[in-house]
C-alpha cells in the first residue's frame, strides 16, 4: 500500500466519530476520555487484510485484534464475531477494558487471554469482522479483495499444501457470509490485494458526526 493511501485512511479515521463507547468529559481531578474509533478491515481470506491492519496499527497507533484468534478453527467465522462482541466490543462500549481468549490452531483449543485496554483507536481485522451487528460501532469499514487464485496461493504458501481442502471449504463459506452481510457494498473504502484503492466513498453524516 502506498504512503498516500495509508495517510488517507488514517485521516478518515481521525475525522470520523468515536462510535465505540461514550467517552467521559473532564472534571475536577478527573481526566477526560474520548470514545474509541473502531477500524474494521474485512475481506476474503488471503486478500491482504493482515498486512493493512498492521500498517494501520502503527500509523494510528492502535492495538490490532485478529479474528483468526477468535475463530474456533476452520468452521468458526460466525461464532468468532460473537466472541469479538462479547469479549471485546461490549466491554469497550460500556467503558470497560476488553479481554479475549486466543484460539490455538495447533492445539485446537483456546489458550491464553489478551487484554484490550480503553484507547482512542482499535483495529479489528479478519473474515467476517465487518458484520452488520457492529456497524453502528464502526468508524471506518475497509474491504480488501483479491482474485481467488492469488488468495489461495497466498494461503497455501503460509499454511502448506495440506491445508488446500480446508482453504477451499473456507472460501465457499465466506462467500455465503459476505452475500448475507453485504459487507463489500457497505464498505467506506475498497482496496485491492496490493493495497490500492478500488472504491472510496465519502463518509456519511452518521459516520463523521456532522449532523
Amino acid at each position: 500500500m502506498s504512503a498516500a493511501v495509508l495517510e488517507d485512511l488514517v485521516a478518515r479515521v481521525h475525522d470520523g466519530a468515536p462510535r465505540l463507547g461514550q467517552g467521559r468529559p473532564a472534571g475536577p481531578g478527573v481526566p477526560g476520555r474520548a470514545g474509541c474509533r473502531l477500524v474494521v478491515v474485512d475481506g476474503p481470506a488471503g486478500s491482504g487484510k493482515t498486512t493493512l491492519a498492521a500498517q494501520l496499527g502503527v500509523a494510528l497507533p492502535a492495538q490490532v485484534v485478529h479474528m483468526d484468534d477468535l475463530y474456533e478453527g476452520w468452521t468458526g467465522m460466525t461464532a468468532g464475531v460473537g466472541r469479538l462482541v462479547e469479549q471485546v466490543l461490549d466491554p469497550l462500549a460500556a467503558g470497560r477494558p476488553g479481554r479475549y481468549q486466543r484460539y490455538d490452531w495447533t492445539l485446537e483449543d483456546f489458550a491464553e487471554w489478551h487484554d484490550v485496554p480503553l484507547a482512542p483507536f482499535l483495529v479489528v481485522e479478519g473474515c467476517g469482522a465487518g458484520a452488520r451487528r457492529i456497524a453502528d460501532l464502526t468508524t471506518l469499514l475497509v474491504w480488501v479483495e483479491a482474485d481467488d487464485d492469488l488468495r489461495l496461493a497466498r494461503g497455501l504458501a503460509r499454511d502448506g499444501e495440506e491445508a488446500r481442502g480446508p482453504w477451499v471449504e473456507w472460501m465457499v463459506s465466506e462467500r455465503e457470509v459476505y452475500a448475507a452481510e453485504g459487507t463489500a457494498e457497505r464498505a467506506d473504502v475498497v482496496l485491492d490485494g496490493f493495497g490500492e484503492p478500488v472504491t472510496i466513498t465519502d463518509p456519511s453524516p452518521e459516520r463523521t458526526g456532522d449532523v
Side-chain angles (χ1 to χ4, degrees):
M1 179 172 57
S2 68
V5 174
L6 180 60
E7 182 179 351
D8 176 71
L9 293 178
V10 170
R12 291 166 68 86
V13 176
H14 280 274
D15 290 343
R19 304 172 63 82
L20 179 57
Q22 297 300 311
R24 181 181 64 198
V30 179
R33 184 185 70 230
C36 177
R37 288 170 169 83
L38 173 63
V39 182
V40 176
V41 181
D42 202 341
S47 57
K49 301 181 301 299
T50 304
T51 299
L52 171 60
Q55 292 173 301
L56 286 169
V58 172
L60 285 169
Q63 181 172 353
V64 180
V65 174
H66 302 281
M67 293 299 297
D68 277 357
D69 291 339
L70 298 172
Y71 308 136
E72 192 170 359
W74 289 103
T75 60
M77 188 187 304
T78 302
V81 175
R83 292 186 190 92
L84 173 69
V85 171
E86 178 181 348
Q87 298 180 358
V88 179
L89 301 185
D90 278 352
L92 293 178
R96 305 190 309 271
R99 190 166 182 258
Y100 68 90
Q101 191 174 16
R102 181 186 67 85
Y103 184 79
D104 189 310
W105 288 65
T106 301
L107 298 178
E108 299 183 343
D109 198 2
F110 286 96
E112 77 282 353
W113 289 82
H114 292 261
D115 294 329
V116 183
L118 295 168
F121 307 101
L122 176 66
V123 176
V124 176
E125 73 84 19
C127 299
R132 292 182 190 274
R133 64 186 295 186
I134 70 168
D136 290 344
L137 305 175
T138 302
T139 295
L140 186 72
L141 173 59
V142 182
W143 173 265
V144 186
E145 61 187 25
D147 65 60
D148 289 355
D149 289 342
L150 175 60
R151 297 193 298 110
L152 183 59
R154 287 174 172 177
L156 297 183
R158 183 191 69 183
D159 299 333
E161 182 62 31
E162 63 274 13
R164 179 178 292 273
W167 255 88
V168 171
E169 292 177 5
W170 180 273
M171 292 170 76
V172 172
S173 63
E174 70 186 2
R175 288 191 194 98
E176 297 173 353
V177 170
Y178 291 137
E181 293 284 348
T183 316
E185 294 77 14
R186 293 187 290 106
D188 301 297
V189 176
V190 177
L191 302 178
D192 66 19
F194 301 96
E196 294 305 312
V198 176
T199 305
I200 298 180
T201 62
D202 291 330
S204 69
E206 287 188 354
R207 284 288 171 86
T208 62
D210 296 332
V211 295

